[in-house]
Amino acid sequence: MKKEFNFIQSRKICVIISLCIFAVGILFNVIFGTGMDVSFSGGTLVRYSYAEKIDVNAVQAMAQDVLGKDAEASLENVDNTDVVTVTFPKEITLEQQTKLNERMTKDFKDNKPVQVEAKTLSAPMGRQFFVKCLAAIALAAGFLLLYVGLRFRRIGGFSAGLCALLALVHDLLICYFVFVIFRINLDDNFVAVMLTILGYSLNDTIVIFDRVRENRRRHKNMPISDVVNLSINQTFTRTLVTAVAVFVAIAVVVVVALIMRIDSIMSFALPMMFGVVSGFYSSVFLSAPIWALWREKKAEKK
């Protein structure tokens, strides 16, 4: 007979591990703060396409000479086009914009730079957009909670939904801390990562709770902890293989983005890679085991 791992017994250790990770993330957040892209914080972004390999450090030095020390430059790939992006945390004047273009054309004439995008966003508009994005994430999480509650109402849908939501919040925080620890500015990719992880993590959780529902029907006299432990063991291989497959695929994207220095892809793929691991971990080791503890405490009170 295949030996089963006791996931229920390990739930306290797993909770401690998660709390330690959160403590590290909060510490980094306090020390280094949270970087914001122009889309959220306001400021100016200018992109230039180029023909030959360009020295991004030289571009940044030139931009700082024109705009100030807060100007930054990075290499990205936008719509299959290699571009160098100059960002500045404030709105720039038309005179500064003209001077930047002139210096770019003069200092890097061999690279044949061509401006492909320029946008300026005020700080209030950026903050407003950021709040709307957070509201979209919260709304999506709320609908997912409602879905789990209705689908598993026969085994205590409300408690199952809350435990699933707890796992989702856990995964979202892990992804956020990846942005903080690796000093990745929060941008449009941040919202995309959060919404993707919401769906991915919940899928693993639903598979486990679905098996719990089946096993409750088959083993009516079995203690709830044993039912949950049996269900996780039965779905563990499927969940692990799925997580490994997705992780490897995203890891390849991370390596390619690192080699090609494509920041726009890296800012999505790296947090996603950690999110996949967190989604597997929270679904298997936190959500269902904590739900079993909840049901046991409720049964004891009755």
Side-chain angles (χ1 to χ4, degrees):
M1 186 177 179
K2 186 179 178 181
K3 188 175 180 181
E4 294 183 351
F5 181 78
N6 195 333
F7 293 95
I8 300 298
Q9 200 172 38
S10 64
R11 61 191 170 197
K12 291 183 179 179
I13 298 175
C14 295
V15 170
I16 293 174
I17 291 174
S18 293
L19 291 177
C20 290
I21 294 174
F22 289 163
V24 172
I26 293 172
L27 182 63
F28 269 81
N29 198 68
V30 170
I31 295 175
F32 299 107
T34 304
M36 292 280 193
D37 183 69
V38 172
S39 301
F40 291 155
S41 64
T44 301
L45 177 148
V46 186
R47 288 194 171 107
Y48 299 91
S49 63
Y50 54 91
E52 304 292 337
K53 186 176 180 180
I54 196 167
D55 186 350
V56 67
N57 294 323
V59 175
Q60 179 162 311
M62 179 275 295
Q64 290 177 346
D65 183 47
V66 175
L67 303 176
K69 64 179 182 179
D70 293 331
E72 295 182 358
S74 60
L75 297 179
E76 299 179 341
N77 185 281
V78 181
D79 297 330
N80 295 321
T81 302
D82 290 330
V83 298
V84 58
T85 301
V86 176
T87 57
F88 189 63
K90 300 177 182 178
E91 297 181 61
I92 64 174
T93 63
L94 180 60
E95 182 181 352
Q96 288 176 310
Q97 173 73 67
T98 302
K99 188 176 180 181
L100 180 66
N101 290 339
E102 290 176 350
R103 284 287 302 275
M104 190 72 186
T105 303
K106 177 182 176 182
D107 294 0
F108 303 94
K109 59 182 179 180
D110 293 337
N111 302 101
K112 300 177 182 178
V114 177
Q115 181 181 307
V116 294
E117 183 181 5
K119 64 179 181 180
T120 299
L121 192 68
S122 65
M125 289 181 64
R127 287 193 295 268
Q128 200 174 55
F129 179 55
F130 182 60
V131 170
K132 289 180 179 178
C133 289
L134 292 180
I137 295 172
L139 185 63
F143 279 120
L144 292 175
L145 171 63
L146 180 62
Y147 169 74
V148 173
L150 292 175
R151 178 165 180 173
F152 300 107
R153 57 187 179 277
R154 292 187 178 180
I155 60 170
F158 177 73
S159 57
L162 281 182
C163 290
L165 182 61
L166 177 66
L168 294 179
V169 171
H170 172 277
D171 300 334
L172 295 182
L173 286 174
I174 292 294
C175 289
Y176 168 72
F177 289 141
V178 172
F179 277 89
V180 173
I181 292 173
F182 287 92
R183 311 305 303 137
I184 303 173
N185 288 339
L186 302 188
D187 55 7
D188 300 346
N189 281 342
F190 170 73
V191 181
V193 168
M194 291 298 189
L195 294 177
T196 304
I197 289 300
L198 277 177
Y200 176 85
S201 178
L202 185 67
N203 179 64
D204 286 342
T205 303
I206 286 177
V207 168
I208 294 174
F209 276 123
D210 207 38
R211 188 57 61 91
V212 170
R213 182 175 57 183
E214 292 177 8
N215 286 329
R216 284 290 303 273
R217 191 164 53 244
R218 294 174 183 173
H219 310 283
K220 295 182 179 180
N221 296 323
M222 182 182 288
I224 187 65
S225 291
D226 293 341
V227 171
V228 170
N229 202 59
L230 174 64
S231 302
I232 297 176
N233 275 281
Q234 289 175 340
T235 58
F236 182 78
T237 301
R238 177 262 180 206
T239 306
L240 178 62
V241 170
T242 302
V244 170
V246 176
F247 179 86
V248 171
I250 298 177
V252 171
V253 176
V254 169
V255 172
V256 172
L258 189 62
I259 294 173
M260 302 297 292
R261 300 181 66 182
I262 306 175
D263 295 338
S264 59
I265 296 179
M266 178 65 76
S267 65
F268 173 81
L270 185 63
M272 268 296 299
M273 192 169 68
F274 282 90
V276 168
V277 175
S278 179
F280 166 77
Y281 170 78
S282 65
S283 298
V284 173
F285 294 96
L286 295 177
S287 182
I290 291 176
W291 176 79
L293 177 63
W294 183 329
R295 301 298 295 180
E296 286 175 345
K297 295 296 183 182
K298 188 174 181 179
E300 288 176 5
K301 289 181 179 180
K302 288 185 177 180

